Amino acid sequence: MKRVVDVRLNNSSQLAGFSKRDDLKYFLEQILGIDYVAEPLLAPTQPLLDAYKKNGGQWDVYERAFLDLMSERKVEEKIDPATIAGGCLLCSEDKPHHCHRRLVAEYLRERWGNLEISHIV
């Protein structure tokens, strides 16, 4: 792994705990020699996240809205594929089935092709 690509919306709040953006960047680089990059274009919006997490929204509604958001943002044109290649997407979910990092990876693979996806569980 070359880098951790942080796709969390709230990567510096108290809820991030030991994995706050600046701390995580320091530890990854100093201890492991791994690059860290925060990529907010690959994070959901606060209203979208709240509708799903705080208000008990349905996954299929969140999934469709997040995919539409990435399409509106044209992330496949704005993110350098080299940033993702050899990288590990980081968010706060422990399993990929209801996680936006899976949606990001699948969305980019569909548009770029040749993107290998491995879920660490």
Side-chain angles (χ1 to χ4, degrees), residues 17-114:
F18 72 91
S19 64
K20 289 181 189 165
R21 176 192 59 224
D22 296 340
D23 295 341
L24 187 57
K25 178 178 175 29
Y26 175 81
F27 292 130
L28 286 169
E29 290 175 353
Q30 295 300 312
I31 297 171
L32 301 170
I34 295 174
D35 291 336
Y36 169 91
V37 61
E39 189 44 76
L41 279 177
L42 300 178
T45 62
Q46 193 66 59
L48 182 59
L49 189 60
D50 287 349
Y52 176 60
K53 291 280 191 174
K54 290 183 180 176
N55 301 330
Q58 296 179 330
W59 172 256
D60 59 331
V61 173
Y62 174 83
E63 180 177 6
R64 180 76 264 151
F66 184 70
L67 291 171
D68 289 346
L69 177 64
M70 285 194 295
S71 180
E72 289 168 17
R73 289 176 172 173
K74 299 185 184 320
V75 298
E76 68 276 12
E77 297 172 12
K78 296 177 181 173
I79 304 292
D80 183 350
T83 300
I84 305 298
C88 178
L89 300 180
L90 170 71
C91 78
S92 57
E93 296 296 329
D94 62 337
K95 294 183 177 52
H97 64 285
H98 284 165
C99 178
H100 83 279
R101 75 176 174 266
R102 176 183 60 83
L103 301 176
V104 167
E106 291 172 356
Y107 178 92
L108 292 175
R109 180 178 59 192
E110 185 178 303
R111 278 140 184 91
W112 294 342
N114 198 27

